[in-house]
Amino acid sequence: MSRRFRLECFFHVHKGTLARVMRNRKKRNQRHGMNSTISLCAHNELYVIDCNKVMYMQADDHYTHVYYLSGNHFMVPYGLSTVMGLLDEKFPDEPFLIRVGRTYVINTRVVFHINTVKQIVVLADSHGNNHSIHLPKQILRDLIESLGRKS
């Protein structure tokens, strides 16, 4: 058996496995009545962001850093405006991930504390750790008003 043939078989098997995993994930999400993921394709790579697990996202030039509630984080090769466009399409009725300023998108479900004097918003992750984000006072006032209307 040639090396090329073995590599082609390997990639074919794994390509089929990936397709099967994606089909099963889609079926499971349909069964539970929700799909909280957005998918980004770039340079022969697929990035899947589970929006229910996102604590916040941070812009970094033409990249976006995604921070999960579990403490994991990764970078996607898309700007924050592109990611926000997908979020707006996915969740038009209930935007729980909102953009605050030019740099951050935060999950309003995990806001622990907002202090306009110190200019911080504190987010709590699933391990009990707090993460502070510094924002301008006016953005924090708008955030307090927005969260107050939702309650």
Side-chain angles (χ1 to χ4, degrees):
M1 208 186 293
S2 72
R3 182 172 185 252
R4 182 173 179 228
F5 178 75
R6 283 183 295 192
L7 285 175
E8 286 176 3
C9 290
F10 173 78
F11 287 122
H12 179 70
V13 168
H14 285 286
K15 183 178 177 184
T17 304
L18 178 63
R20 188 172 57 251
V21 167
M22 295 303 282
R23 277 195 308 271
N24 289 342
R25 179 182 287 175
K26 188 175 182 179
K27 286 179 185 177
R28 185 182 70 232
N29 289 336
Q30 288 173 346
R31 227 182 4 253
H32 295 295
M34 64 184 290
N35 183 1
S36 63
T37 61
I38 58 172
S39 300
L40 301 160
C41 294
H43 312 292
N44 297 324
E45 294 180 314
L46 174 68
Y47 296 91
V48 180
I49 300 173
D50 188 347
C51 297
N52 287 331
K53 295 180 182 179
V54 171
M55 181 171 41
Y56 69 96
M57 297 183 213
Q58 183 179 9
D60 182 17
D61 199 18
H62 297 292
Y63 299 94
T64 300
H65 296 272
V66 180
Y67 294 86
Y68 275 170
L69 293 167
S70 63
N72 295 336
H73 68 278
F74 56 93
M75 183 181 69
V76 294
Y78 285 96
L80 197 55
S81 60
T82 304
V83 176
M84 278 305 296
L86 290 171
L87 287 172
D88 291 340
E89 288 176 17
K90 188 76 170 184
F91 305 105
D93 300 329
E94 185 193 348
F96 63 94
L97 292 170
I98 60 170
R99 188 161 187 169
V100 287
R102 294 178 65 191
T103 310
Y104 293 101
V105 171
I106 64 168
N107 185 344
T108 57
R109 296 174 181 166
V110 298
V111 171
F112 176 70
H113 179 74
I114 301 172
N115 188 330
T116 55
V117 175
K118 294 182 181 179
Q119 296 181 325
I120 60 168
V121 59
V122 181
L123 308 173
D125 68 10
S126 59
H127 297 294
N129 299 321
N130 296 330
H131 302 267
S132 298
I133 297 174
H134 294 273
L135 295 169
K137 286 183 181 180
Q138 187 58 47
I139 290 175
L140 292 172
R141 288 185 190 120
D142 294 342
L143 183 61
I144 290 171
E145 182 181 322
S146 172
L147 292 175
R149 277 185 271 143
K150 285 185 178 182
S151 310

